[in-house]
Amino acid sequence: FRAGWGAKEAAGKALGRGVLGGPRNIIVESIDQSARSLKLSLRGVMSETFPEYGVGGASITAHWRPLRNQVIVLCILPLETLS
């Protein structure tokens, strides 16, 4: 599912560090097809680096839109949760 992979990449970029430890450290918790959004959370080294988004923390929301045969994904993080 391209939107899930794109959401993981977008979240890593929004956090400014990339996908630390690999894509398994960003978990797709839920998908809302009608809103074209995904909720993500962090595990492993990602959670250790950004504990505010780890287990029990804030979720990360990513939005996707189809564009021809590709998917565009955008992830915006609230400033108050970033250190």
Side-chain angles (χ1 to χ4, degrees):
F1 184 51
R2 290 182 289 183
W5 181 264
K8 292 179 179 200
E9 290 289 332
K13 285 179 174 52
L15 290 166
R17 298 291 299 274
V19 183
L20 299 173
R24 291 185 181 182
N25 286 318
I26 301 178
I27 306 300
V28 176
E29 298 288 348
S30 65
I31 301 170
D32 183 338
Q33 291 281 352
S34 62
R36 295 182 181 160
S37 66
L38 301 97
K39 296 283 185 190
L40 309 168
S41 64
L42 306 180
R43 302 288 187 272
V45 69
M46 291 291 291
S47 179
E48 293 165 10
T49 307
F50 302 100
E52 60 272 29
Y53 295 110
V55 177
S59 63
I60 298 170
T61 302
H63 302 275
W64 88 85
R65 296 295 180 267
L67 178 66
R68 296 181 207 103
N69 64 344
Q70 300 175 0
V71 175
I72 305 239
V73 182
L74 174 67
C75 180
I76 300 174
L77 302 175
L79 287 175
E80 61 271 6
T81 57
L82 294 176
S83 304

